[in-house]
Amino acid sequence: MCNFLMQEKGYEIIAIPFEQLRDNDEQYLNTIKDKVQNKNLFHVQKYSLDINKIFDLYVNANLVIGMRLHSIILAHKFNKPFIALSYSEKVSGFCASIGQERDCFDVREWRF
């Protein structure tokens, strides 16, 4: 999906880690970066608690693809189109509560 978005749609991808303690999102995102074809268009942010930096990234985003609930909440807050990759009921439940079930996909069933 990342290769398609970069090559066919011309997107630059900025990956934002949201979890560090239980799961190391930054490590997972770097694993994805290792697999994309154009690494110059895929940037992994360092984990940060600086909410203003995160807000700034959202303000400038064209599209948000997220698994973490807070990534989807922020996309909704900033009125950004999103694709939610749901790994739990809390993500799909939030999408349903805002009427955007069509933008939420179960990661166990979804294929790009």
Side-chain angles (χ1 to χ4, degrees), residues 20-68:
Q20 185 180 33
L21 299 176
R22 188 181 63 190
D23 296 319
N24 188 334
D25 287 356
E26 192 174 331
Q27 182 178 350
Y28 290 131
L29 295 170
N30 278 311
T31 299
I32 294 169
K33 182 178 182 172
D34 288 342
K35 295 178 180 186
V36 299
Q37 293 171 353
N38 189 341
K39 292 170 183 36
N40 292 328
L41 293 177
F42 192 101
H43 311 281
V44 178
Q45 296 293 304
K46 292 285 184 194
Y47 178 80
S48 175
L49 295 175
D50 184 348
I51 196 68
N52 291 320
K53 181 178 181 178
I54 295 169
F55 283 2
D56 191 44
L57 291 168
Y58 271 82
V59 165
N60 293 302
N62 294 316
L63 170 70
V64 173
I65 300 172
M67 285 183 71
R68 300 290 184 195

Side-chain angles (χ1 to χ4, degrees), residues 73-92:
I73 290 171
L74 289 173
H76 179 66
K77 173 186 174 22
F78 287 104
N79 200 30
K80 298 296 178 172
F82 67 81
I83 297 171
L85 303 176
S86 178
Y87 66 95
S88 75
E89 178 59 35
K90 64 184 177 182
V91 175
S92 54

Side-chain angles (χ1 to χ4, degrees), residues 66-67 83-93 95 100-112:
M67 285 183 71
I83 297 171
L85 303 176
S86 178
Y87 66 95
S88 75
E89 178 59 35
K90 64 184 177 182
V91 175
S92 54
C95 291
Q100 290 194 243
E101 300 96 331
R102 72 183 188 287
D103 300 317
C104 185
F105 302 90
D106 188 313
V107 296
R108 295 163 294 208
E109 300 171 7
W110 187 67
R111 300 286 180 258
F112 179 73

